Amino acid sequence: MGLLVLLGAIVAVISVIGLIRLPDVYLRSHAATKSATLGVLLILNGAFLYFWIMEGHFSIKLLLGIVFVFLTGPVGGHLNGRAAYRSGVSLWKGSVRDDLKEDLKRERLESREG
């Protein structure tokens, strides 16, 4: 349990370093959502197990928190990145792949036609 909390804290610190060091909004969003979500999930799981095993208290609130963070963290990051792309925020100059460009172009053509 303590190991989970410690591991979660380490992953959260690595996520913060990624937020500071990564070059563009898309990579920062990745660090802020996926790794930070993993860190929070590890900490919440450690707390959940602590209360369940050590205190004998099954916390439904912690369990719901785990499910909520697991579902909303990555989805929110994805939507932030998509909104940034649609707003015209440019990719980092070292980016080698842009999958959304063709999809957006096709979507705009379809909206003009139909």
Side-chain angles (χ1 to χ4, degrees):
M1 294 162 284
L3 187 64
L4 278 177
V5 173
L6 180 65
L7 187 62
I10 291 170
V11 170
V13 168
I14 292 171
S15 176
V16 168
I17 293 170
L19 270 175
I20 295 170
R21 300 287 300 168
L22 291 174
D24 71 348
V25 69
Y26 306 105
L27 296 172
R28 288 182 187 151
S29 174
H30 182 76
T33 56
K34 293 177 179 67
S35 59
T37 300
L38 177 63
V40 170
L41 286 176
L42 288 171
I43 292 170
L44 287 176
N45 275 316
F48 177 77
L49 291 175
Y50 172 79
F51 283 114
W52 190 21
I53 294 171
M54 302 300 275
E55 303 286 327
H57 175 71
F58 187 85
S59 176
I60 194 72
K61 290 178 183 176
L62 277 173
L63 196 60
L64 287 174
I66 291 167
V67 171
F68 184 74
V69 169
F70 182 73
L71 291 176
T72 59
V75 172
H78 176 77
L79 291 177
N80 281 339
R82 207 170 160 93
Y85 191 88
R86 287 177 182 263
S87 299
V89 176
S90 61
L91 295 172
W92 175 49
K93 62 184 176 191
S95 295
V96 294
R97 192 169 169 178
D98 186 2
D99 290 339
L100 198 53
K101 185 176 183 178
E102 293 299 320
D103 289 342
L104 258 176
K105 195 181 293 183
R106 185 180 55 226
E107 184 180 301
R108 287 182 181 149
L109 283 174
E110 288 174 358
S111 69
R112 286 182 193 159
E113 293 173 358

